[in-house]
Amino acid sequence: DVKVTQSSRYLVKRTGEKVFLECVQDMDHENMFWYRQDPGLGLRLIYFSYDVKMKEKGDIPEGYSVSREKKERFSLILESASTNQTSMYLCASSLRTNANTGELFFGEGSRLTVL
Amino acid sequence: QKEVEQDPGPLSVPEGAIVSLNCTYSNSAFQYFMWYRQYSRKGPELLMYTYSSGNKEDGRFTAQVDKSSKYISLFIRDSQPSDSATYLCAMSFYGQNFVFGPGTRLSVLP
């Protein structure tokens, strides 16, 4: 089974802190994604990556950056956390050929609270 | 108008009922349609996948796509308490990232 592991399930940070959210997948998937999930808004794409060291902006990249130094690992970085970044963050992966059309495999999510 | 609309619920039904979950969308270019199920405090998992119009059945679950009406549905027959979850619709076309609905929260009461 595909496993997408997010290192932190729950985090509480203060405004202005730098936050790292880590995601690792074990199925050699080329594509990796970071979403945030908010009530009433659904999942919104922050950033995605089709290959190592490649990244593309999603729909809401402002205030975030990403890093993909290894194929299996995709990190989301909040340089200076703000209260409006309090949310559930979901990492996902998929095969290269399924970037826009196939199954996304999600991690269990990281719930971030910024005080 | 949001690109994908979905009634957030919550929807409560008795065990054994037939459940109908729906999404409407505005972009006629969408070709790939999916339903994800998300249990509380878990990530979404793929439930059904449909390409273009038509029906697809998998056990107690049936997915329908009506592209002319820009309307998709998920039917759950003989609903069980274990079906209690949030159901997310998602859709895309080649070259476009998935767009998700906000999800419908379903409770199946024993």
Side-chain angles (χ1 to χ4, degrees), chain B residues 4-50:
Chain B
V4 178
E5 307 224 27
Q6 189 176 4
D7 188 333
L11 176 64
S12 294
V13 300
E15 184 175 354
I18 296 174
V19 176
S20 173
L21 303 168
N22 311 295
C23 286
T24 59
Y25 62 93
S26 57
N27 191 340
S28 58
F30 287 135
Q31 293 180 296
Y32 303 93
F33 303 91
M34 300 187 184
W35 286 95
Y36 282 81
R37 178 176 61 196
Q38 185 176 21
Y39 290 116
S40 180
R41 290 184 291 278
K42 298 285 187 182
E45 56 181 347
L46 183 66
L47 196 58
M48 297 288 282
Y49 173 94
T50 310

Side-chain angles (χ1 to χ4, degrees), chain A residues 88-101:
Chain A
M88 169 70 86
Y89 290 88
L90 289 162
C91 175
S93 70
S94 71
L95 290 169
R96 180 184 299 284
T97 53
N98 292 342
N100 310 114
T101 62

